[in-house]
Amino acid sequence: MATFELYGKPPAQLPLKLELAASADGPAILQAAPSGSGTKDPDRFIVSGVFPIASLAPGDYVVRAMVGTPESGEARVTRTLRKTKSP
């Protein structure tokens, strides 16, 4: 599961993408459907998505969360995910 916080008042249609890749700039191996929820703070939201990683080989992967579009401006957060065992 990937989770991040989004701050501000987002528009009704905000492009969000969650991807898993072998490297920071590599192609996406998996995509997760993002879902959001509000918090007690009116300008803070939690966005999350689930990646099915059981079939992936052990190793390091990059989780990317992108908000916006390249044309209008895109913000990106990346974090490393380390899978240590195969099923």
Side-chain angles (χ1 to χ4, degrees), residues 1-2 5 9-11 13 16 21 30 48 62 71 85:
M1 174 181 263
E5 292 184 3
K9 183 154 177 72
Q13 294 293 330
L16 295 170
L30 297 170
S48 61
V62 176
E71 296 81 24
K85 295 181 183 181

Side-chain angles (χ1 to χ4, degrees), residues 21-68:
S23 66
D25 295 321
I29 298 170
L30 297 170
Q31 292 185 341
S35 63
S37 63
T39 66
K40 65 179 181 173
D41 302 316
D43 62 345
R44 184 170 65 101
F45 302 88
I46 305 296
V47 179
S48 61
V50 176
F51 294 102
I53 64 169
S55 64
L56 295 178
D60 288 349
Y61 297 90
V62 176
V63 176
R64 298 187 293 237
M66 285 98 54
V67 178

